[in-house]
Amino acid sequence: MKEYDPKVIEPKWQDAWEKAGVFETREDAAKPKYYVLVEFPYPSGKGLHVGHTRPYTAMDALARARRMRGSNVLFPIGWDAFGLPAENYAIKNKAHPRQFTQANIAAFRAQIRSLGYSFDHSREVDTTDPAYYKWTQWIFLKMFERGLAYKADMPVNWCPSCKCVLANEEAPGGVCERCGAETSRREKSQWMLRITAYAERLLNDLDTVDYPARVKQAQKNWLGRSEGAEVNFAVWAEGRHVHTLRVFTTRPDTLYGATYMVLAPEHPLAAEYACPETEEYRRRAAKKTDFERGQLQKEKTGVALKGVTAVNPATGGHIPIYISDYVLMGYGTGAIMAVPGHDGRDWEFARLFGLPIVEVVSGGNVDEGAYTDTENGTLVNSGFLNGLPVPDAGEAMTRYLEEKGLGKRSVQYKLRDWVFARQRYWGEPIPIVHCPSCGLVPLPESELPLTLPPVESYEPTDTGESPLSLMESWVAVSCPRCGERARRETDTMPQWAGSSWYYLRYADPRNENALASREALDYWTPVDRYNGGMEHTTLHLLYSRFWHKFLYDIGVARQPEPYRKRTSHGDIIGPDGFRMSKSRGNIIDPMEVANEYGADAMRLTILFIGDFEKSVIWSPNAVTGCRRFLERVWHMAASAQPGDALSERTERAFHKAIKKVTEDIDALKFNTAIAALMTLLNEMAEGAYSRGDIRLFVTLLYPFAPHICEELWEHCGSGGLLAGQPWPAWREELTLDDTVEIAVQVGGKLRATVTAERGLPDEAVVDAALHNPRIEAIAAGRAPTRTVVVKNKLVNLIFPQ
RNA sequence: GCGGAUAUGGCGGAAUUGGCAGACGCACCGGAUUUAGGUUCCGGCGGGCGACCGUGGAGGUUCGAAUCCUCUUAUCCGCACCA
């Protein structure tokens, strides 16, 4: 037998799998389906990185094991190929972004293949393919139909030097990524998706899915549910009631302590009662980016709104109204009642402006600072609430407000609606026409897909519009409703669009009449396992849950939740302990590792290096160990005794390992599964072993290192592909040894061990322990006052002092 | 500030309904094979001469704690003026 050479055997088996089509999946009612999903990659010019290989290798092992265990496994891959790098490439090279995208996809496909991933390539999807984005556009139209897609004025980042609208990611720190100029905020009419309409269901249905606690918690925080009340404050000007100002508060119990009100600078009332001072403040606030507002969070600023006061509905007293940018227009009503006695921000602001601070919950010292830790407090200075504990007082005040028509119980979410437009070329065109008489008119479904026209320049325009806006022949269109001259929407969708429903398309990727057939969705969905990065928890994962729920509501999706179980891999950190980055020069290229040590060794290393769900430092030495292990498997296979019979000597070791490996793969404990195989190999090496033993061994190793296992399977004279073999079963009684080592403790400290038959009665175990010479010496003739026996494991003896 | 995690040998990490801490691998040390080796094989490997001591630190519960409780320190990750 030749030396182990991954460069020869790996392509050999990749070809064999492809030729046999073993990873191509079709519906089969006779088999249980199992849908394993990984986040599809953005095909960048840089190729696969370790961030891809960890989840892909892990899910590949799971998929391969599940196939052998008899499931009909759907393990698809595709390309999330819209996005800025392709567009920047196009700008630079004056070429269509498709060229760049196609080349990258080809490179990714080749790399993925060379690592031996068992994806079903016959089901590939590409978000930039019109046959795919036809359905992305279709979903958008359905949302528009139901009022979930709408246009609204939203502040955007504006670079005055590039004359360009930037996404938040393109303006880190309030500075244009491209030219370095300071960006400002501008109002722009933008497409929005009403994800907030689904906030409650997105929150409640988390109870119905199996996600890691940290993922659920992050989504809960992001959704940010708060219970409280809306309270109406009458606004007076020139001696009469001119407005009613609604505020949201989580603390209606503190209403007696509300000594002033604050409006967000963007609040309409602030414009109505403007004076030069407030206008100046509003201008300055408008210029600040969100980032700058955040930076200044400690220092309060503001201006009084002159000529108006508000009436505190509890006290009946008039209180002043301010504008300040510590109040956000995007949350609640854009106005707050300020309770400086019990809110740190209000306290600071009140101090700055010399406003009254009233204590309404006893226990703190409001002269020193806001007293906020009030769960167990009692109300004071609060009329009918005096003496009530805080929770009861909140309840009493809410009831009072509702009875008097002064307010009502209310729930608020931090979640904002989703800005669903980019002024870019390389995205799905939004299939809407602007008609002077009909307004926003959706394209008829029959005109989908609305494809991207070729343009001359891919640069955004001077006005910050998409380059599509310059394509007069494309933009000018007759209104689908009235036939008059109208113009197409020229914004495109954000990159999150295509990835919000791709897992449904995999079920039926070539369907021209529906995004997927009902039969295919009934068979394949929901996704059984979805693994992805923590960084997608609050964007992609939430967005796709939202789209899925919408599709469920209109009868397309078959279940209310898309993913039954979500898992999240930890990051791989550079060998120096820092996050991998170009500037640090600590990037590990998985293709280089695979090239040097083989794909199998690379896969094994990725899985063995640490707990899959935790972040781990890449250690170059770990590859050596894994490669060495494979070499050892190879050499042992070469020198195995002929014969198919399994050795009796290692029978129990095998049954233990089968159980361990099977269970660990399901639990994503790949590191311990591989450790168990190393242990097993060590035991095999202690004596003679047959080709049959090797065959069983490579069957167990196959999900992790498939190429070498196929080669050795063939070498051992077995027919067919290992990929098509059944997974071995274990017998529980053979996973246990018939003798056990029992730890003997005295007073909880280990003093000896005794060997005993499994299941020996407690008294006999104690007896054996007491006859151990070491224990006899300690006992010195005394009898134990107490004995604790843990069956087959341990006995603890307590002797009198 | 809020929320979530993590802390175990020289290193990566095992061990969780509380029951022999350090599985497995790396590195290292010794030996064999090898004229050579990113080879293979065998042995050793938490600390301490020892009684013993050891899972970030301090208490506690328990016959028994890496594991449970209280407090605390450090690091990492989200979110962040959310009323």
Side-chain angles (χ1 to χ4, degrees):
Chain A
M1 196 176 176
K2 287 186 188 131
E3 285 303 296
Y4 171 47
D5 185 0
K7 282 203 168 67
V8 174
I9 65 163
E10 289 179 353
K12 170 183 166 187
W13 293 106
Q14 286 152 16
D15 290 345
W17 295 325
E18 190 171 303
K19 208 171 147 202
V22 281
F23 307 132
E24 288 175 24
T25 314
R26 52 187 50 108
E27 282 90 88
D28 179 353
K31 276 180 163 184
K33 70 94 181 180
Y34 196 71
Y35 188 171
V36 183
L37 184 65
V38 293
E39 289 173 341
F40 61 165
Y42 172 73
S44 78
K46 292 171 196 139
L48 281 187
H49 52 78
V50 277
H52 295 114
T53 56
R54 197 175 199 200
Y56 292 3
T57 306
M59 293 301 110
D60 185 59
L62 177 65
R64 285 179 185 269
R66 281 289 183 147
R67 280 190 203 101
M68 293 173 105
R69 285 169 62 192
S71 291
N72 192 17
V73 173
L74 176 57
F75 184 45
I77 190 70
W79 319 106
D80 188 15
F82 278 126
L84 264 188
E87 184 151 337
N88 289 337
Y89 168 88
I91 291 170
K92 210 171 146 195
N93 298 286
K94 307 220 179 301
H96 197 283
R98 164 140 289 121
Q99 287 182 9
F100 180 74
T101 303
Q102 293 302 336
N104 288 347
I105 286 176
F108 263 67
R109 193 182 287 125
Q111 291 189 340
I112 279 172
R113 192 179 183 274
S114 74
L115 294 179
Y117 297 137
S118 62
F119 293 120
D120 179 353
H121 287 276
S122 72
R123 288 176 185 257
E124 276 185 21
V125 300
D126 169 359
T127 56
T128 68
D129 179 351
Y132 179 91
Y133 69 66
K134 171 182 180 178
W135 298 105
T136 312
Q137 291 172 330
W138 182 85
I139 297 167
F140 179 87
L141 287 183
K142 291 291 165 194
M143 288 193 163
F144 181 75
E145 233 171 68
R146 282 163 179 74
L148 291 170
Y150 63 98
K151 280 203 108 168
D153 283 339
M154 285 298 295
V156 294
N157 300 303
W158 174 256
C159 173
S161 121
C162 302
K163 292 183 184 168
C164 180
V165 173
L166 302 174
N168 283 333
E169 309 87 88
E170 300 169 88
V175 170
C176 174
E177 206 174 39
R178 226 182 263 159
C179 71
E182 257 184 56
T183 61
S184 63
R185 285 148 62 92
R186 253 198 184 190
E187 291 281 313
K188 189 174 186 314
S189 179
Q190 296 261 42
W191 281 100
M192 306 285 292
L193 293 188
R194 210 178 296 282
I195 188 172
T196 52
Y198 281 76
E200 191 178 346
R201 286 165 64 191
L202 288 169
L203 181 69
N204 293 341
D205 288 357
L206 282 175
D207 291 339
T208 69
V209 291
D210 183 4
Y211 290 4
R214 56 186 173 146
V215 171
K216 283 194 184 184
Q217 196 58 49
Q219 289 211 347
K220 278 180 191 167
N221 294 344
W222 186 261
L223 293 164
R225 184 178 194 273
S226 297
E227 283 182 24
E230 275 178 17
V231 187
N232 302 327
F233 283 70
V235 176
W236 287 60
E238 293 163 359
R240 58 198 181 86
H241 178 187
V242 292
H243 276 290
T244 299
L245 203 50
R246 268 178 33 236
V247 303
F248 173 72
T249 179
T250 53
R251 297 295 303 276
D253 55 305
T254 63
L255 183 53
Y256 279 91
T259 54
Y260 64 99
M261 297 188 77
V262 187
L263 310 180
E266 301 87 357
H267 197 283
L269 202 68
E272 197 175 332
Y273 290 94
C275 66
E277 216 187 338
T278 59
E279 282 309 283
E280 171 58 23
Y281 187 82
R282 278 154 47 78
R283 251 197 316 279
R284 281 214 316 272
K287 271 169 69 181
K288 288 184 193 171
T289 60
D290 285 340
F291 177 79
E292 285 171 311
R293 276 200 183 189
Q295 284 298 294
L296 301 170
Q297 61 181 266
K298 286 290 173 312
E299 297 152 36
K300 298 286 176 290
T301 57
V303 180
L305 214 55
K306 288 182 196 114
V308 280
T309 56
V311 178
N312 180 323
T315 65
H318 282 255
I319 58 175
I321 305 176
Y322 284 77
I323 60 172
S324 170
D325 63 8
Y326 85 90
V327 175
L328 308 173
M329 197 59 215
Y331 183 76
T333 63
I336 61 155
M337 65 179 220
V339 183
H342 304 284
D343 181 284
R345 298 153 302 178
D346 296 345
W347 191 90
E348 272 179 55
F349 192 86
R351 267 297 156 96
L352 193 64
F353 288 90
L355 294 160
I357 299 172
V358 176
E359 176 185 59
V360 288
V361 182
S362 63
N365 180 354
V366 299
D367 294 331
E368 306 258 297
Y371 176 54
T372 55
D373 198 15
T374 56
E375 300 102 77
N376 303 315
T378 304
L379 274 286
V380 293
N381 301 322
S382 293
F384 73 99
L385 300 178
N386 280 338
L388 288 176
V390 165
D392 296 356
E395 203 39 47
M397 177 56 86
T398 305
R399 273 204 304 275
Y400 170 82
L401 291 169
E402 284 183 335
E403 275 163 26
K404 300 277 177 187
L406 294 169
K408 59 173 194 212
R409 202 173 297 276
S410 172
V411 171
Q412 291 289 324
Y413 289 87
K414 284 186 201 169
L415 182 73
R416 312 281 170 87
D417 275 343
W418 174 6
V419 179
F420 196 71
R422 302 288 182 268
Q423 292 70 45
R424 295 287 177 180
Y425 176 80
W426 195 227
E428 301 89 344
I430 292 176
I432 295 283
V433 169
H434 297 255
C435 169
S437 17
C438 309
L440 298 171
V441 180
L443 232 52
E445 272 179 41
S446 59
E447 289 188 29
L448 298 184
L450 171 61
T451 54
L452 281 167
V455 297
E456 276 164 30
S457 159
Y458 298 94
E459 305 248 13
T461 65
D462 287 351
T463 54
E465 297 298 319
S466 149
L468 291 175
S469 65
L470 298 176
M471 285 299 297
E472 201 48 40
S473 61
W474 185 80
V475 173
V477 69
S478 55
C479 170
R481 193 167 291 159
C482 70
E484 269 186 56
R485 289 177 55 177
R487 298 181 70 74
R488 286 193 198 281
E489 171 64 58
T490 59
D491 280 2
T492 54
M493 299 185 197
Q495 212 198 339
W496 306 111
S499 60
S500 291
W501 69 281
Y502 72 113
Y503 54 91
L504 295 173
R505 188 66 176 171
Y506 283 140
D508 191 10
R510 306 289 165 249
N511 195 317
E512 292 178 7
N513 305 310
L515 64 80
S517 75
R518 170 167 288 220
E519 296 70 41
L521 293 177
D522 276 334
Y523 183 76
W524 288 117
T525 63
V527 173
D528 294 285
R529 289 287 187 107
Y530 188 21
N531 184 81
M534 276 306 285
E535 70 276 17
H536 292 129
T537 300
T538 52
L539 296 172
H540 161 67
L541 192 62
L542 202 63
Y543 291 154
S544 64
R545 290 184 61 221
F546 161 46
W547 278 40
H548 190 92
K549 285 183 180 304
F550 170 73
L551 291 170
Y552 176 68
D553 289 349
I554 64 169
V556 174
R558 310 298 293 144
Q559 311 83 15
E561 284 285 338
Y563 317 116
R564 197 171 264 158
K565 182 179 175 76
R566 167 83 175 186
T567 55
S568 222
H569 56 274
D571 295 331
I572 297 183
I573 312 294
D576 55 0
F578 292 101
R579 185 172 290 280
M580 288 186 194
S581 71
K582 213 193 225 169
S583 56
R584 276 221 155 76
N586 60 351
I587 292 177
I588 301 298
D589 179 354
M591 301 315 297
E592 269 177 34
V593 176
N595 194 40
E596 192 173 350
Y597 296 91
D600 282 334
M602 196 228 53
R603 294 169 54 114
L604 209 56
T605 307
I606 290 253
L607 297 174
F608 183 62
I609 197 165
D611 187 318
F612 177 65
E613 310 217 40
K614 289 186 194 148
S615 65
V616 67
I617 294 176
W618 178 267
S619 148
N621 288 334
V623 195
T624 318
C626 289
R627 170 66 192 246
R628 198 176 287 168
F629 169 68
L630 294 177
E631 297 272 5
R632 198 152 172 246
V633 174
W634 184 272
H635 289 128
M636 284 175 64
S639 60
Q641 307 288 317
D644 295 342
L646 298 174
S647 311
E648 225 175 284
R649 178 177 67 84
T650 50
E651 187 183 30
R652 281 173 193 269
F654 263 108
H655 280 265
K656 265 185 228 175
I658 294 168
K659 178 181 179 172
K660 178 79 178 152
V661 172
T662 309
E663 291 178 348
D664 279 0
I665 288 175
D666 258 358
L668 309 185
K669 300 281 181 200
F670 306 105
N671 51 339
T672 48
I674 293 166
L677 288 171
M678 291 172 167
T679 306
L680 174 61
L681 194 73
N682 290 342
E683 290 192 43
M684 287 167 68
E686 278 168 21
Y689 46 87
S690 68
R691 286 196 162 195
D693 290 318
I694 293 293
R695 268 161 45 176
L696 184 50
F697 185 85
V698 296
T699 309
L700 292 172
L701 180 62
Y702 164 82
F704 314 114
H707 311 88
I708 188 175
C709 292
E710 285 281 12
E711 181 70 24
L712 296 178
W713 177 259
E714 183 187 59
H715 170 79
C716 290
S718 331
L721 286 169
L722 177 52
Q725 300 304 312
W727 189 252
W730 75 89
R731 276 170 57 201
E732 192 65 36
E733 71 273 18
L734 290 178
T735 63
L736 303 168
D737 292 318
D738 43 19
T739 59
V740 286
E741 280 247 298
I742 291 180
V744 183
Q745 296 184 337
V746 175
K749 299 207 169 186
L750 180 71
R751 295 299 181 206
T753 59
V754 295
T755 305
E757 260 173 70
R758 174 173 296 282
L760 195 68
D762 291 359
E763 308 80 62
V765 171
V766 171
D767 195 54
L770 287 171
H771 284 90
N772 178 283
R774 180 107 195 266
I775 301 304
E776 273 179 340
I778 294 167
R782 295 170 300 172
T785 53
R786 185 174 169 192
T787 60
V788 179
V789 181
V790 180
K791 203 116 194 118
N792 297 322
K793 275 201 171 155
L794 170 143
V795 47
N796 191 9
L797 308 168
I798 296 92
F799 288 103
Q801 273 310 306

